[in-house]
Amino acid sequence: MMRFSSASKMLAFAARRPVVSTRVVKASLLTRMMSTAAPGVKPTNPEFSSGPCKKRPGYDVSKLDRRTAGRSHRSKIGKERLQLAISETKRILGVPEDYHVGIVPASDTGAYEMAMWNMLGERNIDICHWESFGKGWFADAVSHLKLRDIVEVKEITADYGSIPDLSQTNPDHDICFTFNGTTSGARVPDGCGFISDSRTGLTLCDATSACFAMDMPWEKLDVTTYSWQKVLGGEGGHGVLILSPRAVERLESYTPENRPLPKIFRLTKKGKFEASIFKGATINTPSMLAVEDYIDALQWADSVGGLPALIQMSLDNLGVIEDFVDANDWIDFLAKDPAIRSSTSVCLTLDLTADQIKKFVKLLEEEGVALDIGGYRDAPPSIRIWCGSTIEKPDLEALMPWLTWAYEQAKE
């Protein structure tokens, strides 16, 4: 029996193996390296948070008007600046002349709760929700205002990424809804056709991530709320409350029984509408620095072409992501129907586990490429990229290759 040395065995094994060219090996390694190599270009600004949102392009806090610094909001200059913020809001948004615009405490939440606590309970209510904030309004109506003790409260709901059948609403009921679901990326269809022009009830619309980015059909809206820190990239803490004449009529004709209202919620005085609030005499002390920041944002909005330009910027930004999603099968919109897809709070699902998505988000943050894009805590595992008008399109275009890179890293 012949014996082979170890060296002979190795030579015999090598002789039986198929020959792989050096060129093939190098090509395979290059492909591997390219799939894991980080893209070269990063967004100039990595801020894609859905609130507080990115400041306007060219923002410089040192350029804000500082005449109100250290001054009372009741001073002549203080009142003038508050009145300017209100009048410019009305003009740029195209709010009807007979509607009232007021600056109120506690961001959009404060504005919407103020309306609920003052107006609801006069008649039956339909509450439509398809994401966390709308669901919160329903919970407050039932659990805290206990409206089911005095009227019927109908819940009309859908899962994240969809909207319910809004035709179920009754024009003789008060209708509460969110114009754009910030945490689901699903919005109401253009025009709010589900709202009757001959309605007898009021509509209460939370439009915090829609105002200045979507066309608001004012004739359909009786109460509209938003906050400065969303579409215009303003500061948090202050809300805006917009009331139609019908909403004012409700305030003066209906006083909820056994419902104490804290001072910061009161919109009437001795049964009459407190109009001074909507002329700059705020209920409590506002931050005049935040007011100046908001005025700066309004001036920028006007300089780029006003509301039509702001809407188009947001749509163009959404278009960047739509093109990317169309080209990649591992990413999709949470709101699959384009007719209800948000152009501001763009929510995306990934072909990754929840833990992998967290890794994906962390990788992009560590690279300084995208900050604060994790999906909302109550939403399905997802990411959320703000596409409002303060986001510059080239930054979104630079971000897209990084999404692919992070996906390849996170799925391993």
Side-chain angles (χ1 to χ4, degrees):
M1 186 176 188
M2 295 183 67
R3 296 182 179 274
F4 293 91
S5 67
S6 296
S8 299
K9 289 180 179 178
M10 291 178 66
L11 287 169
F13 175 73
R16 294 195 302 269
R17 292 183 63 193
V19 177
V20 180
S21 72
T22 304
R23 182 178 296 176
V24 172
V25 172
K26 287 182 176 179
S28 177
L29 289 172
L30 181 60
T31 301
R32 172 69 176 162
M33 290 171 65
M34 289 177 67
S35 68
T36 58
V41 179
K42 293 183 178 182
T44 302
N45 192 311
E47 296 167 359
F48 296 100
S49 164
S50 293
C53 299
K54 176 185 171 292
K55 292 294 187 183
R56 66 167 179 85
Y59 176 81
D60 185 346
V61 69
S62 69
K63 300 293 179 62
L64 297 181
D65 191 322
R66 285 174 280 183
R67 289 177 294 162
T68 56
R71 299 295 305 277
S72 169
H73 61 299
R74 309 291 188 198
S75 66
K76 183 175 183 294
I77 184 65
K79 289 179 180 178
E80 286 176 355
R81 300 303 282 177
L82 286 162
Q83 289 167 358
L84 178 64
I86 289 171
S87 63
E88 285 297 276
T89 295
K90 233 177 154 175
R91 180 180 69 83
I92 294 172
L93 281 178
V95 177
E97 186 60 35
D98 57 351
Y99 279 48
H100 301 266
V101 175
I103 297 168
V104 298
S107 196
D108 176 70
T109 302
Y112 203 81
E113 291 280 3
M114 184 180 292
M116 291 178 66
W117 283 72
N118 274 278
M119 301 181 197
L120 295 184
E122 188 265 355
R123 63 182 61 218
N124 293 339
I125 308 162
D126 296 333
I127 301 183
C128 310
H129 67 84
W130 51 93
E131 50 90 57
S132 57
F133 289 101
K135 186 176 181 179
W137 305 142
F138 173 75
D140 286 352
V142 173
S143 301
H144 296 280
L145 283 168
K146 300 189 182 302
L147 289 169
R148 279 183 167 161
D149 291 347
I150 54 175
V151 295
E152 293 180 9
V153 179
K154 182 178 180 180
E155 182 182 19
I156 303 172
T157 186
D159 292 333
Y160 278 79
S162 302
I163 62 171
D165 178 5
L166 298 173
S167 67
Q168 295 181 56
T169 56
N170 187 327
D172 294 326
H173 294 181
D174 288 338
I175 301 172
C176 300
F177 71 101
T178 304
F179 198 97
N180 180 74
T182 311
T183 65
S184 73
R187 53 158 293 178
V188 294
D190 283 335
C192 292
F194 67 96
I195 299 173
S196 170
D197 291 335
S198 58
R199 65 190 179 279
T200 58
L202 297 180
T203 56
L204 281 70
C205 173
D206 171 359
T208 194
S209 55
C211 277
F212 294 102
M214 301 172 192
D215 187 28
M216 308 301 295
W218 295 111
E219 72 281 3
K220 304 279 189 180
L221 309 176
D222 296 307
V223 176
T224 307
T225 66
Y226 71 91
S227 61
W228 296 348
Q229 50 100 353
K230 289 291 188 186
V231 176
L232 290 185
E235 290 300 296
H238 299 76
V240 174
L241 177 64
I242 303 175
L243 303 179
S244 73
R246 299 178 71 252
V248 172
E249 182 184 3
R250 172 70 63 83
L251 286 170
E252 293 187 332
S253 64
Y254 172 66
T255 302
E257 292 184 15
N258 302 315
R259 190 185 299 169
L261 292 178
K263 180 180 179 180
I264 60 170
F265 274 14
R266 295 174 197 161
L267 294 172
T268 59
K269 188 174 183 180
K270 297 181 179 179
K272 293 295 181 181
F273 176 58
E274 187 65 280
S276 62
I277 296 171
F278 299 82
K279 296 176 181 177
T282 54
I283 295 173
N284 70 335
T285 307
S287 162
M288 294 309 294
L289 180 61
V291 171
E292 292 300 337
D293 184 272
Y294 179 58
I295 292 173
D296 174 84
L298 290 169
Q299 291 172 339
W300 169 78
D302 203 30
S303 74
V304 298
L307 184 61
L310 298 179
I311 292 173
Q312 191 59 52
M313 288 177 188
S314 187
L315 289 172
D316 289 346
N317 285 340
L318 172 62
V320 172
I321 299 183
E322 287 180 327
D323 289 345
F324 182 78
V325 170
D326 286 344
N328 293 275
D329 60 6
W330 53 267
I331 186 169
D332 202 355
F333 290 97
L334 190 56
K336 292 180 172 53
D337 181 356
I340 62 164
R341 185 176 296 157
S342 172
S343 62
T344 54
S345 53
V346 180
C347 298
L348 301 156
T349 59
L350 311 178
D351 186 18
L352 297 172
T353 66
D355 286 341
Q356 287 174 328
I357 290 176
K358 290 178 182 178
K359 180 181 178 181
F360 176 100
V361 171
K362 185 179 180 182
L363 283 166
L364 292 173
E365 183 164 344
E366 289 174 345
E367 290 289 333
V369 171
L371 306 178
D372 309 320
I373 66 166
Y376 194 72
R377 60 180 179 268
D378 294 334
S382 56
I383 62 170
R384 185 169 52 150
I385 300 174
W386 185 255
C387 286
S389 55
T390 61
I391 301 294
E392 296 182 86
K393 185 179 177 181
D395 281 339
L396 276 170
E397 291 171 335
L399 174 62
M400 295 300 102
W402 283 93
L403 299 186
T404 301
W405 172 82
Y407 169 74
E408 294 294 341
Q409 298 288 318
K411 74 176 184 178
E412 293 180 354

